[in-house]
């Protein structure tokens, strides 16, 4: 789960990390008061979307101007003007894709005077099973580009969970970033604070780009991207409450309400499968036969008819879906439950695209009979290979006719 920059900074502040003072706003009418409260003389008006690269981003609407999604304002009038221009407009950045994101919130910040821009992030390193810090002198840049072009400028510092952050980690980070004296001490303290926040809140990723050295010699987190382990949200109701559904895929939100493991992808074949491994294999075999899956969906082991119905509706509601493949190996899951769920959903929402069903396992004959009796136009398949070929052929035939 992701949160907005201003929410991430509020969490960092709880742990003592230095950030600028700021006020989030949802309407341009709040801009003047926010700017007055902060005092100036320089403010930063920042679009709040769950994507980076906002500064260099472009708005689709000409009325939003061409100054990007992060703007320095030199007067309260300018803060108000930028707020009017950006709120409600669609920001396209390297990370949003061509569709962009609607800016529904702004963060007005007290402008900082920057001496140097650095990069710092913390992440769960799966190779070492530890939290690692990644630091670089190349702050404010796209870190993937730095990693590709100048990998020697990226330093990784791995933290043993038994000891937590030690003074030597601080020294290593300060060395890598050319920080001396008080700044080096500040770096050691910052790592301790970030590590505490990372662990306490079950984060997946914390990226501060840029971490700045201010003109008066202080470290400050100027930007913050934070994402949390979704499986740990149950023990962080405060974090879960920060969720902004406007930033998330409506289909994924609906799926999470039904406790379905669903992820939208960009292909054309909707998949309904039980078991994550079988779902991955199904996606792979669709690819093998030359098409791409529109989603990952694991309906789980003990799915009810209602859950299957909800899942099928989410798939059919996706206009990118040109064909559906139901692939069930009934173990705990019974094939007749799947069949009933599929039929209930089709009765409700209709079926505009070809549907291939492969059932195997517990109550398979019962499931097949239910589908056969339903009068639905279902293409039956015997095994996974057969099913994948049949749905790919059906989708291509439909495309040929269109
Ligand atoms: P991003 O483009 O989405 O990564 O947004 P950032 O929060 O990183 O802001 C983009 C850039 O705007 C930063 O790299 C800075 O160069 C600049 N910027 C952001 N806040 C301030 C500020 O308080 N003062 C100054 N002078 N520049 C800022
Ligand atoms: Mn940034």
């Amino acid at each position: 789960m992701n949160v907005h920059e201003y929410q991430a900074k509020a969490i960092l502040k709880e742990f003592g990390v230095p950030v600028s003072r700021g006020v989030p706003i949802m309407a341009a009418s709040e801009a003047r008061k926010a700017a007055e409260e902060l005092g100036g003389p320089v403010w930063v008006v920042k679009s709040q979307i769950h994507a980076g690269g906002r500064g260099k981003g472009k708005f689709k609407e000409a009325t939003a101007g061409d100054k990007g999604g992060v703007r320095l304002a030199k007067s309260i009038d300018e803060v108000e003007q930028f707020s009017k221009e950006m709120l409600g407009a669609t920001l396209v950045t390297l990370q949003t894709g061509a569709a962009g994101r609607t800016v529904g919130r702004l963060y007005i910040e007290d402008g900082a005077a920057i001496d140097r821009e650095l990069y710092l992030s913390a992440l769960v390193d799966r190779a070492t099973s530890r939290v690692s810090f990644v630091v670089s002198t190349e702050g404010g840049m796209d870190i993937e580009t730095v990693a590709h072009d100048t990998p020697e400028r990226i330093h990784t510092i791995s933290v043993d969970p038994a000891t937590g952050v030690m003074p030597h980690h601080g020294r290593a980070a300060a060395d890598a970033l050319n920080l001396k004296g008080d700044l080096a001490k500040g770096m050691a303290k910052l790592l301790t604070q970030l590590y505490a926040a990372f662990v306490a809140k079950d984060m997946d990723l914390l990226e501060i780009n840029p971490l700045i050295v201010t003109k008066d010699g202080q470290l400050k987190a100027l930007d913050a991207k934070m994402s949390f382990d979704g499986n740990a949200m149950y023990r962080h109701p405060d974090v879960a409450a920060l969720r902004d559904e406007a930033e998330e895929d409506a289909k994924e939100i609906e799926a999470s309400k039904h406790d379905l493991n669903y992820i939208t992808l960009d292909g054309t074949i909707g998949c309904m499968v039980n078991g994550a491994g079988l779902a991955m294999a199904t996606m792979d075999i669709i690819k093998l036969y030359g098409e791409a899956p529109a989603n990952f969906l694991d309906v789980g082991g003990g799915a009810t008819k209602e859950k299957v119905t909800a899942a099928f509706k989410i798939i059919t509601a996706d206009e990118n879906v040109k064909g559906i493949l139901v692939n069930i190996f009934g173990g705990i899951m019974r094939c007749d439950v799947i069949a009933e769920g599929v039929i209930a959903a089709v009765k409700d929402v209709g079926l505009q695209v070809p549907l291939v069903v492969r059932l195997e396992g517990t109550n398979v004959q019962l499931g097949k009979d239910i589908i056969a009796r339903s009068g639905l136009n279902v293409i039956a398949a015997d095994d996974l290979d057969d099913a994948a070929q049949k749905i790919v052929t059906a989708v291509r035939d439909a495309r040929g006719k269109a």
Side-chain angles (χ1 to χ4, degrees), residues 5 44 46 51-56 70 72 110-112 114 117 140 209-210 222-223:
E5 174 197 2
V44 194
K46 309 187 78 172
R54 298 162 301 166
K56 295 196 180 80
V70 174
L72 279 183
D110 186 27
I114 303 176
E117 297 195 36
N209 187 20
L222 209 65
D223 189 7

Side-chain angles (χ1 to χ4, degrees), residues 1 33 40 44 60 79 164 172 179 192 195 203-204 224 235 256 296 300 308 312 343 386 397:
M1 191 198 125
K33 186 164 163 280
V44 194
K60 283 192 166 170
V79 171
L179 300 171
T192 310
Y195 187 79
M203 293 179 202
D204 268 344
R235 56 183 189 188
S256 74
F296 168 91
V308 172
F312 200 79
I343 288 163
D386 182 41
D397 285 353

Side-chain angles (χ1 to χ4, degrees), residues 255-314:
S256 74
K257 286 180 186 152
H258 298 280
D259 203 22
L260 293 161
N261 294 309
Y262 173 94
I263 293 164
T264 303
L265 300 169
D266 50 17
T268 56
I269 296 181
C271 305
M272 184 158 90
V273 190
N274 67 323
L278 190 57
M280 300 289 272
T282 306
M283 289 162 36
D284 281 349
I285 202 158
I286 288 171
K287 274 270 190 195
L288 180 70
Y289 287 111
E291 291 290 326
N295 65 279
F296 168 91
L297 170 61
D298 166 16
V299 292
T304 57
K305 179 181 150 196
E306 286 68 35
K307 204 164 156 181
V308 172
T309 310
F312 200 79
K313 281 185 186 170
I314 291 167

Side-chain angles (χ1 to χ4, degrees), residues 1-13 15 17 19 50 122 194 197-198 201-208 223-229 239 242:
M1 191 198 125
N2 298 320
V3 297
H4 287 295
E5 174 197 2
Y6 76 90
Q7 298 165 326
K9 283 180 169 172
I11 292 173
L12 290 180
K13 203 173 161 196
F15 288 84
V17 176
V19 291
H50 287 186
L194 295 175
F198 193 95
K201 298 290 182 185
D202 285 309
M203 293 179 202
D204 268 344
L205 175 76
L206 168 59
E207 186 180 56
I208 298 172
D223 189 7
K225 173 182 176 169
M226 215 176 254
S227 64
F228 301 86
D229 180 348
V239 174
L242 302 178

Side-chain angles (χ1 to χ4, degrees), residues 24 26 36 60 64 120 123 149 190 206 220 231 281 298 334:
M26 310 264 284
E36 281 166 2
K60 283 192 166 170
L120 188 158
L123 48 89
D149 298 346
L190 181 67
L206 168 59
K220 191 179 241 186
N231 292 323
D298 166 16
R334 295 173 6 229

